[in-house]
Amino acid sequence: MSTHSSRFAARLMVAPSVALLLIWMIVPLVMTIYYSFRLYRLVSPDRTGWTGFTNYTWFFKSSDFWLAMGNTLALVGGVLAITVVLGIAIALLIDQPVKGQGVLRILVIAPFFVMPPVAASILENLFMHPQNGLFAAVSIYFGSDPILYMQDYPMWSVIGIVSWEWLPFATLILLTSLQSMSSEQLEAAEMDGASALSRFRYIILPHMMRAITVVILIQTIFLLGIFGEIFTTTQGGPGSASTTLPYLIFKQAIVAKDIGRAAAGGIIAVVLANIVAIFLMRGIGKHLDA
Amino acid sequence: MGKIVLNRVNKSFGDVAVIPGIDLEIENGEFVVFVGPSGCGKSTLLRLIAGLEDTSSGRIEIDGKDATTLPPAKRGLAMVFQSYALYPHMSVKKNIGFPLKMAGMDAAEAEKRIANAARILNLTNYLDRRPGQLSGGQRQRVAIGRAIVREPAAFLFDEPLSNLDAALRVSMRQEITELHQTLKTTMIYVTHDQVEAMTMADKIVVLNAGNIEQVGSPLELYHRPANLFVAGFIGSPKMNLIDGAEAMKHNATTIGIRPEHLDVRADGPWQGIVGLAEHLGSDTFLKVTVEGLGTLTVRATGEVSLRHGDRIGLSPQLERLHRFGADGKALA
Ligand SMILES: Nc1ncnc2c1ncn2[C@@H]1O[C@H](COP(=O)(O)OP(=O)(O)OP(=O)(O)O)[C@@H](O)[C@H]1O
Ligand SMILES: [Mg+2]
């Protein structure tokens, strides 16, 4: 399959789709770059002319931008940490032989099929709501005031909601990896005198490393763009306390109606995503090699 | 050091008694081989001794101490698995050193033991490789290395050579035998390969459906099989078993004669027709159909110029004849 001519034929045949994908990607990117250097405000009549880097410098000078950067990284990091740690724990648990294993697994996977805004609304209104929420009921039962999640801990609330959504995905991938663990390896480790903890640390965890890497990479891609959950719950507030980069761009485009500035924000987000990707591939990409 | 005693050991999965009840003594330093047909419970018995399965009832003693409920790590045994079960993400050195690390041994001493094991097993040049970069035989040696560094009371092998090709199997067989002579540690070895059992064992335990059929040295089993099962199982090609009138002449329900104990003689008492002749060079295996007795296998030494359809006479070496009673047990 790797003679000279077969390679050439293969390239020829994938060429149309590669070209299409390239156009698909390049055109919006170039347009965004173009707008990011233009003065283009929907509310003012003045929509023409180049503005140089002012759209960009506005971001770097704005304190909201740095807050949003921090929030974005906190969201990605927080959700990754929670889903990977809890995902491993739950995968270990539901890998045990128990009655009703099939149903249990479907239940664990279920939240993943709920649409993001719906999931956020469920969490906000049924769990975190200060009057109707389950958490409030628990607080009151123990004699303390209900916690005002969206007001006092907006970023933590968003992280919690997004984690709830992504935990099933992480669990599923990690469980699959756990099930491919050779039982003889575990038995050999047991014979070698490894305690349950050592078996996890030296045998199971290294075996799961590739799956963990996949979870981290895929989730990072999606988490960098989280928007719906914030829009339906905190609206980026109070103030800008839970504004992330995508939400900040949304505010510039739709609320402030400044297309040029939003485009510049978009380009900054693309650059940020690439920086994160480089660090991730440097740090954990080696686990993807066989 | 490594004396293992099984006392009425029973193992059931659900209500299937895989091992109804086994009594067995394994002396210190012995090389014991478990043989038996597939599914007879060899692996299960080994795993019971290792502690990887719990006994349903009965008692396992190691070194005179009750080990029935001890976890595997506390029994002081080392096991080599059929699939090697090496840790793929660790180098050969770390694989071999893993049990020492788990035992909390200090690095210098561990280093010495690893180097020693690597030297014995010819692995010194491969210490930094991963298991994935080794050949089957080398992986097997790493698995053995991981077992010997701990200086266990006994080694347990579960069909360790079955994934290797024929030539490598022969050389690994010799290596394990030599290892046993060097270390003088008890070894329990599971196989369904007769040749391995006959060549390696001090003592063979023949298992059938979870029961011990006979325990003895290889030659004892060959010369004096205790029952029909052992008679048919040990020896290759299989012993010819004959019942009916011919057996009655010898006051037995069944008589058995090994292929190598049938002489080809024109005036032999059993006249038959050669069906198939397999020429191996050193030996010739003949399938001879004898009227009233069925098809007998004959092992003739050297090259014999007999062909399909030839008429020959067979003469059994009477002192080598095995006699069995109605219950399948050997008659004195
Ligand atoms: N976990 C289990 N649950 C139920 N039955 C089992 C289990 N493990 C083994 N058995 C049964 O126990 C019997 C003995 O199995 P075992 O693996 O000991 O056979 P074996 O002698 O090692 O065979 P082989 O030569 O094929 O490896 C088999 O009939 C098998 O189906
Ligand atoms: Mg087996």
Side-chain angles (χ1 to χ4, degrees):
Chain A
M1 258 315 283
S2 70
T3 62
H4 219 68
S5 60
S6 71
R7 268 203 305 264
F8 177 74
R11 276 187 202 148
L12 199 68
M13 286 188 214
V14 296
S17 46
V18 170
L20 196 67
L21 276 174
L22 205 65
I23 294 168
W24 200 267
M25 192 192 82
I26 290 292
V27 170
L29 185 67
V30 170
M31 280 175 72
T32 313
I33 293 174
Y34 169 78
Y35 283 125
S36 71
F37 291 107
R38 301 285 295 182
L39 187 66
Y40 189 178
R41 293 190 187 132
L42 295 180
V43 284
S44 85
D46 187 11
R47 290 182 197 171
T48 49
W50 299 90
T51 59
F53 281 92
T54 43
N55 282 332
Y56 288 91
T57 47
W58 178 86
F59 277 101
F60 294 118
K61 281 189 200 137
S62 145
S63 63
D64 269 8
F65 169 75
W66 296 107
L67 182 64
M69 281 283 263
N71 281 343
T72 308
L73 294 179
L75 179 66
V76 173
V79 174
L80 281 181
I82 292 172
T83 51
V84 169
V85 171
L86 283 185
I88 291 175
I90 295 176
L92 284 171
L93 278 179
I94 61 177
D95 192 35
Q96 308 295 319
V98 288
K99 251 207 170 110
Q101 202 172 35
V103 178
L104 187 72
R105 284 183 187 170
I106 290 173
L107 282 179
V108 170
I109 308 307
F112 198 51
F113 298 115
V114 181
M115 282 170 277
V118 179
S121 301
I122 292 174
L123 265 288
E124 184 190 11
N125 295 313
L126 297 183
F127 289 90
M128 296 171 166
H129 198 278
Q131 275 124 41
N132 313 327
L134 183 71
F135 296 160
V138 172
S139 299
I140 291 167
Y141 178 82
F142 284 108
S144 57
D145 288 336
I147 300 166
L148 304 174
Y149 289 97
M150 297 302 155
Q151 226 163 72
D152 296 345
Y153 306 100
M155 207 54 223
W156 284 111
S157 303
V158 172
I159 290 176
I161 290 169
V162 177
S163 299
W164 184 81
E165 282 177 74
W166 281 91
L167 187 54
F169 171 78
T171 308
L172 192 65
I173 303 270
L174 297 172
L175 177 67
T176 321
S177 144
L178 203 56
Q179 284 172 334
S180 71
M181 177 85 231
S182 128
S183 65
E184 283 203 342
Q185 259 179 53
L186 289 175
E187 287 176 345
E190 208 178 334
M191 295 288 298
D192 283 345
S195 63
L197 202 65
S198 306
R199 286 203 293 280
F200 174 72
R201 159 91 178 69
Y202 294 107
I203 314 293
I204 297 177
L205 206 54
H207 172 79
M208 292 174 86
M209 219 41 228
R210 185 194 292 219
I212 293 174
T213 307
V214 168
V215 167
I216 291 178
L217 292 179
I218 292 183
Q219 286 200 21
T220 305
I221 294 169
F222 284 94
L223 295 178
L224 280 170
I226 288 288
F227 172 78
E229 291 84 339
I230 299 175
F231 183 70
T232 40
T233 56
T234 63
Q235 304 257 312
S240 300
S242 60
T243 297
T244 60
L245 209 47
Y247 203 83
L248 184 68
I249 295 166
F250 159 78
K251 280 207 271 192
Q252 292 314 312
I254 307 300
V255 182
K257 304 215 179 340
D258 190 332
I259 304 300
R261 208 180 268 168
I267 296 300
I268 294 172
V270 169
V271 172
L272 176 76
N274 278 292
I275 293 172
V276 170
I278 289 170
F279 272 103
L280 279 179
M281 289 311 287
R282 279 274 167 83
I284 58 176
K286 65 173 189 292
H287 295 298
L288 290 180
D289 303 333
Chain B
M1 261 289 283
K3 184 179 160 112
I4 298 170
V5 179
L6 307 186
N7 195 337
R8 303 234 50 78
V9 168
N10 163 292
K11 175 69 186 175
S12 307
F13 289 110
D15 36 280
V16 186
V18 173
I19 293 179
I22 277 191
D23 289 301
L24 181 67
E25 277 198 26
I26 295 165
E27 297 300 331
N28 183 27
E30 249 180 345
F31 197 118
V32 177
V33 173
F34 293 172
V35 285
S38 187
C40 70
K42 304 180 295 289
S43 299
T44 307
L45 187 58
L46 198 71
R47 292 165 58 82
L48 284 173
I49 297 173
L52 294 172
E53 303 275 1
D54 295 323
T55 50
S56 302
S57 71
R59 202 175 131 87
I60 297 175
E61 261 177 36
I62 299 172
D63 282 340
K65 287 188 288 282
D66 185 2
T68 318
T69 54
L70 278 186
K74 296 262 160 63
R75 300 193 182 194
L77 307 176
M79 183 145 163
V80 175
F81 293 82
Q82 181 176 351
S83 67
Y84 319 133
L86 300 178
Y87 311 128
H89 53 274
M90 295 184 199
S91 65
V92 167
K93 187 173 174 175
K94 286 201 171 142
N95 262 286
I96 297 180
F98 188 70
L100 304 180
K101 183 169 172 178
M102 289 301 105
M105 182 177 284
D106 74 68
E109 170 68 17
E111 194 82 14
K112 222 164 61 195
R113 286 213 198 175
I114 295 168
N116 194 32
R119 190 181 47 75
I120 294 175
L121 296 163
N122 281 325
L123 286 170
T124 311
N125 295 331
Y126 304 101
L127 281 177
D128 294 321
R129 293 217 197 160
R130 297 273 178 101
Q133 302 163 318
L134 298 177
S135 72
Q138 289 164 341
R139 283 182 213 182
Q140 188 54 265
R141 281 203 285 265
V142 176
I144 295 174
R146 194 172 60 188
I148 64 178
V149 281
R150 289 167 54 200
E151 302 179 352
F155 291 97
L156 311 177
F157 295 90
D158 192 354
E159 308 205 21
L161 307 185
S162 54
N163 286 349
L164 305 179
D165 68 54
L168 199 53
R169 209 177 307 179
V170 172
S171 70
M172 283 305 295
R173 198 168 81 204
Q174 284 158 1
E175 279 185 42
I176 293 178
T177 310
E178 272 165 31
L179 193 69
H180 179 241
Q181 273 148 14
T182 322
L183 301 175
K184 298 190 171 54
T185 312
T186 312
M187 291 191 179
I188 305 178
Y189 189 103
V190 167
T191 181
H192 54 238
D193 184 296
Q194 291 231 8
V195 184
E196 276 175 31
M198 295 299 278
T199 53
M200 302 172 88
D202 294 323
K203 184 156 101 183
I204 296 181
V205 176
V206 183
L207 291 166
N208 181 26
N211 291 307
I212 295 184
E213 294 284 347
Q214 190 175 359
V215 179
S217 73
L219 290 181
E220 237 173 275
L221 298 191
Y222 178 80
H223 290 302
R224 288 188 296 281
N227 52 44
L228 277 173
F229 180 83
V230 178
F233 193 79
I234 300 284
S236 171
K238 280 168 83 147
M239 184 188 282
N240 297 298
L241 297 171
I242 302 161
D243 37 36
E246 189 64 31
M248 294 300 278
K249 280 192 217 159
H250 298 273
N251 290 323
T253 314
T254 309
I255 53 169
I257 183 84
R258 293 197 185 276
E260 49 272 43
H261 299 147
L262 280 169
D263 298 329
V264 180
R265 292 222 319 252
D267 60 341
W270 298 342
Q271 295 291 321
I273 297 170
V274 176
L276 178 74
E278 294 176 321
H279 300 276
L280 302 184
S282 60
D283 292 307
T284 306
F285 295 156
L286 305 167
K287 298 269 185 215
V288 181
T289 310
V290 178
E291 190 81 30
L293 302 182
T295 303
L296 304 182
T297 310
V298 180
R299 176 183 202 155
T301 344
E303 292 171 46
V304 180
S305 56
L306 286 168
R307 311 242 326 262
H308 175 84
D310 287 351
R311 241 178 193 291
I312 59 166
L314 297 174
S315 151
Q317 299 172 10
L318 285 175
E319 71 283 6
R320 306 274 205 169
L321 199 74
H322 303 271
R323 301 186 309 126
F324 301 95
D327 56 356
K329 294 232 163 67
L331 300 171

